[in-house]
Amino acid sequence: MTTASVSTLLDPSVHESAETDGRSFTTSRARSEPSHRELVRAALARYSSAIGLPALVRRHGSPLLVLDTSRVREQLDLLRRELPDARIHFATKALPHPAVIRTIAATGASFEVASRGEIALLRENGVDLSGTLHTHPIRTRSDIGDAYGCGIRRFVVDNPGELSKIAELPHDVDVLVRLSFPNPDAGCDLSAKFGATERQAAALVGDAIRHGVRVAGFSFHVGSQTTSVAPFEHAIQRSTRLMDELEARFGLRFHVIDLGGGFPIGYDEAVPELAALATGIRTAIAVGGRNDTVLLEPGRFVTATAMTLVTRVVGSSDRVDGRWHYLDDGLYGSYSNVLTEGVHPLVFAASELTTTPDAASERVTLAGPTCDSVDVIARGIDLPVLGEGDLLVSPMMGAYTSVTASGFNGLEPTRIHVISGTR
Ligand SMILES: Cc1ncc(COP(=O)(O)O)c(C=O)c1O
C-alpha cells in the first residue's frame, strides 16, 4: 500500500492509486506528499465525524472500543474481490466477539478455530461448524473428540503424535498437513512454533495412509503482518511442488492448499495494498499448475480496522526525559497488541480530529494505567498540549487487542460498543 492508500483502508470513499508491486516496498515519497500519520489522521477525522465518536464517548465513557461491523464486511469484500477463488475461514482468535462472528457468518464465510472456547463462541452464535477448520497442531484427545462432536471435520496436523490422535476419530474427517516456512521479517513468525519441514510432511503423509486418515492437502502461515508478497510466493511454490511430488510417490490426489493469514495492516507505516499481494499470490498459484481449492485464514486483515479506541488522560507528570501522560488504557488492556504483536498503533489527540493540526505540540510519552514500567504505549511522539481528562483516539485497534488484554492490576476490560456503519 502506498502511504496515500491508508486513507482508502480507513475510508472507502477515498480511492488513490497504488504504485508498489508489493515486492519491495519503499517508504520514500515526494516532499509534498502527506505523511502516513497525516493520511491516517485525516481519514480518522472523517470517520470519527461520520460515526459521531465524540457523542459515543459522552454516552459510554472512556476507555471505549467502538466496534464497527460494517468494516468487517468491507474487509471481507476486499479479500473476495482480490482473491475471488479462495474460501475464507476467519481466524476467530483475532477478535472473538459475537457481533463479528455473526457478521462474518452472515456473509457465508467460515471460521478457523484453535480452542474449545472459540468453538463454544461459534456455537453460541449459531454457526454451523461443519465448515470450520481446527488448526491447533497440538490438542488433547478430549479436545479433538469434542470438536468432532460439535461437527468439525477438518483438522490441521504437523506431527505423528497428533496424527495418531486424529486416527482415533471416525473416518469422515480429513487433515491438512501444516508446513513450516520461517519468516523472521514478519511481525509474528508463525513457523517458529508450529509446522513440519517438507521431509517431515512427506513422512506424515505416509503415516496418514497407514492410519487410514485422508490428507486433503497442506497449510502454512507465512507470518502475521507480512508486508511483502515474496513469503507467500515462496510458500506456494514449495507447497505445490511438494504436493506434486507426494502425489506421484504415494499415488494419491490432494485437493486443498491453505494459505493461512498474514495480510498486513498499515499501523504506523504504510504496507503493500492487498491488490499487490493478491496479484503475486494468484500468479504463484497459477504457475503451480494445480487445481486445488484455496483456503485463507485471515484474522488481522478482517478485524483491525473495525475497532477504534478512545482513551483519556488520567494524569500527567514531568519526568527526567520529558512530559508523560498516563492513560486509562494500556499494554495490559487494549494496547496489548504492542506487547504481543510488536505493532505500534498511532495515537491522536481527539482535538486533532476536529481542528486542523497546528504547531502547538509537545513531545510526550504515553503510558498505561498499571504500575508496571513495561506499560508504555508510545515514547517521543508529538501531540497537542494535553491535560487531565483530554481524549485520545487510536484507529486499527480491532485485531489482537481486547482479546489479549489481561486484566492485570485489577483493571476492568475496556467496554466494546458495537455499531454498524455511519449514523
Ligand atoms: C493458524 C492461524 N491461522 C490464522 C491466523 C491469523 O493470522 P493473521 O491475523 O495474521 O491473518 C493465525 C494467527 O495467529 C494462526 O495462528
Side-chain angles (χ1 to χ4, degrees):
M1 184 190 310
T2 58
T3 50
S5 59
V6 169
S7 51
T8 314
L9 184 64
L10 284 161
D11 179 354
S13 65
V14 179
H15 295 288
E16 301 188 46
S17 62
E19 286 161 14
T20 175
D21 64 359
R23 210 164 288 267
S24 60
F25 176 64
T26 171
T27 51
S28 67
R29 56 179 193 280
R31 209 169 273 283
S32 59
E33 268 185 59
S35 66
H36 179 74
R37 183 182 168 86
E38 173 50 22
L39 287 164
V40 174
R41 187 205 65 77
L44 181 61
R46 286 192 294 277
Y47 179 67
S48 166
S49 153
I51 65 169
L53 192 59
L56 290 176
V57 182
R58 277 197 298 281
R59 199 171 320 137
H60 302 291
S62 159
L64 182 69
L65 282 161
V66 178
L67 166 56
D68 185 346
T69 54
S70 71
R71 293 197 145 186
V72 171
R73 278 193 298 275
E74 283 161 17
Q75 293 297 91
L76 285 175
D77 287 348
L78 193 52
L79 274 166
R80 289 196 170 108
R81 220 167 32 243
E82 296 299 338
L83 292 165
D85 297 329
R87 294 193 192 158
I88 296 173
H89 291 258
F90 168 63
T92 307
K93 59 182 75 84
L95 183 49
H97 188 285
V100 172
I101 302 304
R102 287 197 292 267
T103 300
I104 289 172
T107 72
S110 298
F111 296 85
E112 174 271 350
V113 295
S115 71
R116 282 172 182 275
E118 289 176 356
I119 293 171
L121 176 69
L122 298 189
R123 294 187 79 191
E124 283 155 22
N125 288 281
V127 173
D128 169 12
L129 288 167
S130 60
T132 297
L133 193 56
H134 198 307
T135 65
H136 202 305
I138 308 287
R139 295 155 281 227
T140 64
R141 284 191 163 74
S142 70
D143 282 348
I144 292 172
D146 290 350
Y148 179 87
C150 292
I152 295 182
R153 293 293 180 268
R154 181 164 283 165
F155 296 84
V156 168
V157 293
D158 73 354
N159 67 86
E162 208 68 14
L163 186 68
S164 65
K165 295 179 194 171
I166 300 289
E168 292 169 8
L169 294 176
H171 286 253
D172 58 346
V173 298
D174 65 25
V175 296
L176 300 178
V177 175
R178 177 156 166 184
L179 295 166
S180 157
F181 294 111
N183 178 10
D185 293 337
C188 188
D189 182 357
L190 288 165
S191 288
K193 186 171 175 186
F194 298 121
T197 63
E198 286 151 70
R199 185 190 288 262
Q200 288 170 333
L204 263 183
V205 172
D207 287 349
I209 293 168
R210 277 188 291 283
H211 281 300
V213 175
R214 269 181 301 142
V215 180
F218 291 79
S219 77
F220 55 78
H221 196 302
V222 294
S224 203
Q225 189 73 354
T226 286
T227 53
S228 83
V229 74
F232 286 102
E233 290 172 334
H234 173 74
I236 292 166
Q237 279 160 14
R238 297 292 288 257
S239 303
T240 50
R241 198 178 310 153
L242 182 69
M243 289 163 88
D244 289 345
E245 278 170 24
L246 296 183
E247 284 180 346
R249 189 189 307 174
F250 291 111
L252 40 69
R253 180 90 184 97
F254 307 116
H255 58 97
V256 176
I257 183 164
D258 177 351
L259 315 186
F263 302 102
I265 288 292
Y267 293 96
D268 59 339
E269 290 181 348
V271 294
E273 288 278 9
L274 179 66
L277 296 176
T279 301
I281 289 171
R282 287 194 311 267
T283 305
I285 289 172
V287 168
R290 299 179 53 87
N291 197 20
D292 300 308
T293 300
V294 177
L295 309 185
L296 303 176
E297 301 169 17
R300 184 188 310 280
F301 189 81
V302 175
T303 54
T305 56
M307 282 214 295
T308 306
L309 173 68
V310 182
T311 60
R312 189 182 294 275
V313 176
V314 177
S316 305
S317 185
D318 291 318
R319 306 287 181 203
V320 284
D321 56 351
R323 188 130 182 93
W324 285 53
H325 297 302
Y326 297 83
L327 312 185
D328 57 6
D329 205 343
L331 266 59
Y332 291 94
S334 308
Y335 286 111
S336 60
N337 53 357
V338 177
L339 209 50
T340 61
E341 299 283 302
V343 298
H344 300 284
L346 293 177
V347 189
F348 299 91
S351 61
E352 291 181 273
L353 307 182
T354 49
T355 55
T356 315
D358 57 27
S361 67
E362 59 180 355
R363 187 148 292 187
V364 296
T365 298
L366 298 179
T370 69
C371 298
D372 193 341
S373 301
V374 165
D375 193 3
V376 175
I377 300 154
R379 290 177 197 273
I381 64 164
D382 294 324
L383 286 175
V385 174
L386 296 171
E388 182 186 343
D390 283 340
L391 297 173
L392 296 131
V393 185
S394 282
M396 307 178 199
M397 288 294 287
Y400 310 110
T401 53
S402 50
V403 66
T404 36
S406 77
F408 174 59
N409 253 186
L411 292 174
E412 298 277 316
T414 295
R415 176 172 183 173
I416 299 178
H417 177 71
V418 182
I419 62 170
S420 181
T422 54
R423 288 174 300 174

